[in-house]
Amino acid sequence: MAYLVSYADAELFVRIGKTNRHEIGDLTLASRQMKVEAEPLAPVFARLCDACSSVVYGQEDAIQLVVCALVAGGHVLMEDVPGVGKTTLAKSIARLLGLSINRIQCTPDLLPADILGYVMYDQARGTFQIRKGPIFSEIVLVDELNRATPRTQSAFLEAMEEGVVTLEDRQCPLPEPFWVLATQNPRSFEGTYSLPESELDRFLLCIRLGYPPREDEVRMLAAGGAEACIERLRPVATTADVLRWRREGDEVHVDPAVLRYIVTLADALRHHPHVLLGPSPRGSLALLRAAKAWAFIHGRDYVVPDDVRRLAVPVWGHRIRPEGGTWDEWTDMSPAAVLEDVLSRIPAPKLGEGP
């Protein structure tokens, strides 16, 4: 008999730490083995994540999610308080992959032309010339995206969805790979503009780093800061590798039972009593892409239901809207709580089972 173990169960084992086997309860032998040791990464991704962890301390889970988004070809939104390593994480990934990176610092007076570029008349040549903006880079780090006005935020929509920028009547293709890593301050901070649903939907994942564990923060202090550590990083992959990973990751096999599982979860969220707006079909596709990439970076050529369960919160958490307009972070009314409720009520399928 095969047992399906959820990722939430695996996290439970980490929390209970040194609890002896008699206190674990009714967990199966397969469950206990899975909880003792997390699924290892494929060698190249293990090197990439380990190198990044040597600069960004105590954020192993967030690093793996960012690498998953890279392979899936999806953009990442990192929401958290200033100073927890969001910008450092983006710079480290760019250096380890040998990719070009441009940083855009968002402020209320930033204009779309400051991001995209503009067309100007060159009197010497008698022609109009395109001056490309900082968005023309393989990695674009957008700092404090929600400090920009809605008009400026909208400048990213076409680039993130279609990989091109329209200047006047000319379409300018962006480099490949093109990847946006954006940070935003918590919505309660002053001087922020909430991102509209249409822009949030462009981000494959939304993650929060949180504060590092105490011992990791001590290690960070002993290292003297991140900037010197970033300079010591050496590339472990190339642009060609990234493009190859994306092609191979897209070929990961997905059992029909997993496809039905994703649709069932999405439908349950759309009809959840606390949810006004559930994940769209594009959101279902996003979860599928992320699950395939997650399987690929862990060395598998097939998706299992636990991949879907592991990624449901970072992929769908920012895509659902509550009844009443806002989530109450001080109660159980949060995207994660609603998703955990749905995941707990809908059993994971067994691979190969029929409709």
Side-chain angles (χ1 to χ4, degrees), residues 193-249:
Y193 301 84
S194 296
L195 301 182
E197 284 76 7
S198 58
E199 185 148 11
L200 286 171
D201 203 37
R202 264 51 174 199
F203 290 99
L204 180 71
L205 302 178
C206 180
I207 61 177
R208 294 185 178 184
L209 273 65
Y211 294 109
R214 292 178 60 182
E215 288 304 315
D216 288 308
E217 192 165 358
V218 171
R219 289 173 53 218
M220 180 197 70
L221 295 177
E227 289 302 322
C229 296
I230 292 176
E231 292 300 319
R232 291 196 294 268
L233 293 176
R234 294 293 178 266
V236 299
T238 64
T239 301
D241 291 324
V242 175
L243 296 176
R244 176 173 53 82
W245 294 342
R246 291 184 173 183
R247 290 193 302 270
E248 294 177 357

Side-chain angles (χ1 to χ4, degrees), residues 8 28 54 77 128 130 140 176 221 229 239 284 295 301 303 307 351:
T28 66
S54 69
L77 178 64
F128 287 94
I130 292 178
V140 179
E176 291 188 15
L221 295 177
C229 296
T239 301
S284 299
D301 60 358
V303 172
D307 297 332
L351 298 184

Side-chain angles (χ1 to χ4, degrees), residues 260-275 278-279 316 320 338-339 341-343 345-346:
R260 287 189 293 271
Y261 184 48
I262 292 174
V263 173
T264 301
L265 292 174
D267 187 65
L269 279 170
R270 293 165 191 158
H271 295 90
H272 195 281
H274 295 314
V275 173
W316 279 352
I320 58 177
V338 170
L339 281 159
D341 175 56
V342 170
L343 289 169
R345 289 189 290 104
I346 298 176

Side-chain angles (χ1 to χ4, degrees), residues 63-257:
I63 291 169
Q64 287 193 27
L65 287 171
V66 170
V67 172
C68 172
L70 169 71
V71 173
H75 310 295
V76 180
L77 178 64
M78 294 180 281
E79 181 182 39
D80 221 316
V81 296
V84 293
K86 302 185 296 293
T87 302
T88 302
L89 174 56
K91 288 182 176 179
S92 300
I93 291 288
R95 191 169 184 87
L96 288 166
L97 297 175
L99 301 177
S100 62
I101 181 171
N102 280 340
R103 177 177 176 175
I104 300 172
Q105 177 62 56
C106 292
T107 56
D109 60 349
L110 189 72
L111 297 175
D114 298 327
I115 299 167
L116 305 178
Y118 52 89
V119 176
M120 64 174 292
Y121 183 71
D122 188 334
Q123 289 185 332
R125 299 181 180 180
T127 59
F128 287 94
Q129 301 291 322
I130 292 178
R131 295 289 185 267
K132 294 181 178 179
I135 201 169
F136 287 87
S137 181
E138 291 169 324
I139 295 181
V140 179
L141 171 59
V142 185
D143 250 342
E144 299 181 302
L145 175 59
N146 58 344
R147 288 191 64 206
T149 61
R151 177 192 177 194
T152 302
Q153 291 174 10
S154 67
F156 293 97
L157 294 177
E158 181 186 30
M160 294 174 66
E161 182 65 22
E162 301 178 23
V164 298
V165 168
T166 301
L167 297 174
E168 298 294 338
D169 58 347
R170 310 180 193 184
Q171 278 202 334
C172 305
L174 292 165
E176 291 188 15
F178 171 70
W179 193 34
V180 175
L181 293 173
T183 73
Q184 72 168 353
N185 293 325
R187 296 172 195 138
S188 58
F189 277 36
E190 292 186 10
T192 60
Y193 301 84
S194 296
L195 301 182
E197 284 76 7
S198 58
E199 185 148 11
L200 286 171
D201 203 37
R202 264 51 174 199
F203 290 99
L204 180 71
L205 302 178
C206 180
I207 61 177
R208 294 185 178 184
L209 273 65
Y211 294 109
R214 292 178 60 182
E215 288 304 315
D216 288 308
E217 192 165 358
V218 171
R219 289 173 53 218
M220 180 197 70
L221 295 177
E227 289 302 322
C229 296
I230 292 176
E231 292 300 319
R232 291 196 294 268
L233 293 176
R234 294 293 178 266
V236 299
T238 64
T239 301
D241 291 324
V242 175
L243 296 176
R244 176 173 53 82
W245 294 342
R246 291 184 173 183
R247 290 193 302 270
E248 294 177 357
D250 193 50
E251 296 172 357
V252 168
H253 173 72
V254 185
D255 191 279

Side-chain angles (χ1 to χ4, degrees), residues 296-327:
F296 181 74
I297 69 172
H298 286 87
R300 284 184 278 109
D301 60 358
Y302 58 91
V303 172
V304 297
D306 268 344
D307 297 332
V308 174
R309 298 174 67 88
R310 171 65 181 91
L311 295 165
V313 172
V315 174
W316 279 352
H318 61 294
R319 288 181 162 90
I320 58 177
R321 284 292 172 269
E323 288 284 358
T326 57
W327 297 105

